[in-house]
Each structure stands twice: as structure tokens, then as C-alpha cells.
Amino acid sequence: MSSRPVPHRTIAVVLAGGTGQRIGLEIPKQLLKIAGKSILEHTLHIFENAPDVDEVVLLMTPAYLEDARRIVEKARLRKVTDVLAGGSTRSETTLIAIRAATERLGEGEDCNLLFHDAVRPLLSQRVVRECVESLERYQAVDVAIPSSDTVIVTRTHGDDGEFITEVPDRSRLRRGQTPQGFRLSTIRAAYERAAADPFFQATDDCSVVVKYLPDVPVHVVTGDDYNMKVTQPVDVFIADKLFQLASHAAPAQAGEAAYREQLSGKTMVVFGGSYGIGADICRIAEGFGARVFALGRSTTGTHVENLDHVEEALARAYAETGRIDYVVNTAGVLRVGRLAETDNETIREALEVNYLAPVNIARASYKYLSETEGQLLLFTSSSYTRGRAEYSLYSSTKAAMVNLTQALADEWAEDGIRVNCVNPERTATPMRTKAFGREPQDSLLTSESVALTSLDVLVSEMTGHVIDVRKQDPTSSPAQRSGFEAALASVLIRTSEDQGV
């Protein structure tokens, strides 16, 4: 049997040459901040975290080269090997990337190039992976989605305006996205032929291959509706909402060795650590070598709504360990009932525990987390997207957690502090049982699984995200799930042995 060919090296080329004029801005739109980071940084992180991408080359508007380099340096984007000045047109910018890739390769060597718009910050890893896989079989790849709208062809008749001349068959129409992928040798040959055409003009690279290399088939990878391009003012709003509401999967489970390496010697403070998800976070993190301070009203007398209690707890942890790397708040109250029939004390408790407490915890944690460039982890509920009858206080305060997360991620980005929010589906916890009574166990997440996903977020570089935890994540492979279960079982067994259970 012949061995499988070694895959080509893949270079992602991020095209950030826009100036923001169409959107009416004084800065390029790729430098606008959404969900705690600039659009450009979101996009670069996609390729930084893509296992199939070997390096990244950034082509930036010349006037903002230093801004781009600062973003790359501050975000510690190790795969970004070059930040180059882009051209005045898309085609000129592509040629700069082609020359740069050609120069870094040896004579006769080839590679894959993925050209991606910097202002498409919601590109999925699935699309990246399928593009790279397709380039092992095809020389050119485009990304597109079916058109949900009817597309018409018009012609202008003087002052009478436009009139329809054709209505193409919608079933064959696709809306193009990026990345567009090519073998270096293919896109280079297409542009060499285009250079001989005095009438050459193009707004994308696949059209150059289609026109000048007609014998080269361009394979189409199915894109995503979320993979939108921020072009108009309304797109900024939509992209921000998509970041807020999109289902962000947690990072891949790290496995026991990785958890131990990243958590050993770190200090974690967990408010709401007496029971449920908080207690499981404490137990599992401690099993992987973290120094954990579990705080709760029933165990340590810590009232999270009391700023003095919060400050004292953090100061004690810092005094004992000399650092605080992670602060987690799982404390909350859930009271079910019609608002008009709710007494003042219940309202006060819900607002203080569910909203004031996380604010106090954030304020008090800042100075410690800025030292370690650590992370604050908050918790929300699926009800944050739409308030629900009979627990309006709970759902509205959980919506506030999402906004607080995104605001602080932006506010604290320069200090290197990451802020994220976990959004578990219905979970078997004492708080839920108290509110809703006994429910079928197979319909609920376990608190242990939410806890381990929370650790995945804590040891990641994510910030400004709401991370959904679902009972069965369809994106997880069997191998990932078995690794998750093995890590969890390992630490729970060790904990039981330590406690003599």
C-alpha cells in the first residue's frame, strides 16, 4: 500500500485592506470592537486556533500597520508571521500575498493559501477544515451558501428606472463568502495570465481562476449564515448580537495531563462553591493541582452581595498564595412566581445576589486578576435571550450577566484580563430542584459536566464570550467525549480516595 501524501502547508491570508469609508467611520471597520475585541482580532483568533492552519499572513491598510502589529503582539498570536501593507485594490493585495508566499518557499515548493476577509469574524472551524481538506484534492475552493432570496437581473431605461430582464433559477444561485482557497501555484498562474489582460478587473480571487484558468474546477464548500461580512453600519449591530446570541462551543476538552499542567499551582476563588456547579468546579480544579478557595453562605459565611465579605475572601486567598488566577461566581437565587405577587424582600434578594454580587466580585477581583492576566467567569441562563413568565427577575438579571461579561471583556482587554460567561442548559443542581422539584435525570445536565466545561473555558484564551453547555454537544467527537469522561472520572476517583469514600 502506498502511504498517504503529506498535506500541503496551509497559510491563511487575512485581508484587512478596507478603510471604513462605506460604513462612515474614521477608522477601518476591522478595528471596531465587538464582544471585547476588535473585529480583526476575532478573525485572527479563528486561524490561530485552527489545527489545519500552519501560519497567518495579515495584509493591513498601510496607514494602520502599527495598530495591526500591536493587536498581534498583545493577543500573542503566534501563527501570524507577517503583517504587510495591503494594496489599493483587492487584486493588488492578493498579489502581495502571492509574492510573500513564493519568497518564503523553496524552488518548486507549493502550499495552500486561504484568503479571508478580516471583517468576517464569525467564520467556523468547520468551514476552515473543509477548505483545507478540499485543497488536498482540488486546486481551487470557494465557500458559498444557497441564496434564500430571489435574485433578479435588471436594465435601466433612462428616466423610467429599472426593469427586470431575467429571473435566474434560484436553486442554482449561491452567495459567495470567504475563505477562498488555492494552491499557490494555481492562483499565481491565474494572476500571471490576468496581468496580460489590459481590461482585467476582479473583486474576488475565484473569478480570476474561473476566467483565466477555465480548465481548473473550483470546488464549493458549504458556508454558514453566520459567516457574514461587516460592510454596512447595521452589520456592526448584527455581528455584535450574533456574538452575544450565537452558540459558542467550549474549547476542546484538554485532557487530564493538560488540565494538570495548566491548573497546577494556580489560585482559584469560587463564590457559590458550597454546592452544585460551584462545588464541582472546586473539587475538580483541586484534583488537578489548583489551590482552591470555595466560598459560600452555608460553609464560610460569605454573603456575595456584601462587598466587605467579597474583599475579605479575595484578600485572604491572595495573602495565602500570593496570586489569584481565576475568580468564578456561580452563586445565584431562583425564585419562581408572578412579579406582581412578589414581596419586596424576594425582589431585593434576587437583585442583590444575582446582579449586585457579580458587580462587587468583578470590582474587587480586578486588581488581583490584572497581576496574573487571569480570568473572571460568570454564569447566565438560557432565559437571558428572552425573559420568561414567572421568573422575570431571574431571567432579567441573567441577561445582565451577558452584558456585564461583554462590557468587562472590552474594558479589561488592555489589562490582559479575560471575562467569559457560561450558559448551561437545564442542570441538576439543588437550586433547580428547590424551584422546580424532581425532574427526569436524563433530561438534565450533570453539574460535573458543566464544571469541567467551565474549566475548559478558564484555561482557554477566550474572552467576551457566552459559552453554551448542552446535554449532548453535536460538535463533540466520540474521542473528545471519552477524553472528557476519562478526565472527569480520574479526578473524581482521586478525590473520593483522598476523602476515604
Side-chain angles (χ1 to χ4, degrees), residues 281-328:
I281 290 174
C282 293
R283 184 169 70 255
I284 297 171
E286 199 163 36
F288 286 126
R291 180 71 186 277
V292 179
F293 293 82
L295 305 161
R297 182 177 299 186
S298 61
T299 51
T300 61
T302 304
H303 292 247
V304 289
E305 67 274 24
N306 186 316
L307 180 59
D308 290 338
H309 285 198
V310 171
E311 290 179 336
E312 288 169 7
L314 290 168
R316 185 167 60 253
Y318 186 79
E320 290 188 27
T321 66
R323 62 186 299 137
I324 296 178
D325 301 274
Y326 308 110
V327 176
V328 181

Side-chain angles (χ1 to χ4, degrees), residues 212-235:
Y212 296 101
L213 297 177
D215 294 331
V216 174
V218 180
H219 179 67
V220 178
V221 167
T222 302
D224 288 318
D225 288 324
Y226 272 29
N227 187 17
M228 63 174 292
K229 185 177 183 180
V230 179
T231 304
Q232 302 298 331
V234 69
D235 297 334

Side-chain angles (χ1 to χ4, degrees), residues 188-201 208 212:
R188 185 170 56 210
Y191 269 91
E192 286 172 353
R193 293 192 183 184
D197 182 356
F199 304 104
F200 168 70
Q201 56 180 351
V208 181
Y212 296 101

Side-chain angles (χ1 to χ4, degrees), residues 4-206:
R4 185 179 177 182
V6 177
H8 288 83
R9 183 173 183 79
T10 297
I11 302 173
V13 178
V14 176
L15 304 167
T19 61
Q21 291 180 346
R22 279 186 292 177
I23 208 169
L25 298 172
E26 294 182 357
I27 63 170
K29 51 185 177 282
Q30 58 269 27
L31 296 181
L32 286 174
K33 283 193 173 181
I34 292 177
K37 294 185 289 191
S38 68
I39 294 174
L40 175 60
E41 187 177 343
H42 280 297
T43 302
L44 291 171
H45 270 293
I46 294 166
F47 296 108
E48 180 76 14
N49 298 325
D52 301 292
V53 172
D54 298 291
E55 63 179 292
V56 181
V57 174
L58 171 59
L59 278 297
M60 186 65 182
T61 303
Y64 292 88
L65 268 178
E66 290 308 311
D67 297 80
R69 286 172 178 148
R70 280 193 293 270
I71 287 172
V72 169
E73 182 179 1
K74 188 170 182 179
R76 299 171 184 171
L77 297 167
R78 298 174 181 84
K79 287 186 181 179
V80 180
T81 55
D82 272 318
V83 181
L84 306 173
S88 58
T89 65
R90 169 64 178 264
S91 299
E92 286 182 14
T93 301
T94 296
L95 279 168
I96 292 170
I98 291 171
R99 293 189 194 106
T102 301
E103 289 172 1
R104 70 175 56 238
L105 293 175
E107 187 68 29
E109 289 188 52
D110 212 349
C111 71
N112 297 329
L113 294 182
L114 296 182
F115 293 91
H116 185 67
D117 299 324
V119 288
R120 290 186 186 270
L122 289 155
L123 173 67
S124 71
Q125 292 293 343
R126 191 268 306 169
V127 171
V128 175
R129 182 181 65 254
E130 290 187 12
C131 284
V132 175
E133 289 173 351
S134 296
L135 284 173
E136 294 309 309
R137 180 177 179 185
Y138 304 99
Q139 298 178 54
V141 174
D142 201 356
V143 173
I145 58 175
S147 176
S148 57
D149 297 317
T150 296
V151 177
I152 61 174
V153 180
T154 67
R155 184 171 59 188
T156 302
H157 287 273
D159 295 334
D160 293 332
E162 290 183 301
F163 294 84
I164 295 176
T165 60
E166 184 183 355
V167 182
D169 179 3
R170 190 174 69 185
S171 67
R172 298 184 61 193
L173 297 177
R174 300 291 182 270
R175 292 160 49 202
Q177 299 182 335
T178 64
Q180 294 184 333
F182 311 91
R183 299 276 178 85
L184 171 60
S185 56
T186 300
I187 191 66
R188 185 170 56 210
Y191 269 91
E192 286 172 353
R193 293 192 183 184
D197 182 356
F199 304 104
F200 168 70
Q201 56 180 351
T203 58
D204 78 299
D205 299 310
C206 279

Side-chain angles (χ1 to χ4, degrees), residues 1-6:
M1 291 179 62
S2 61
S3 61
R4 185 179 177 182
V6 177

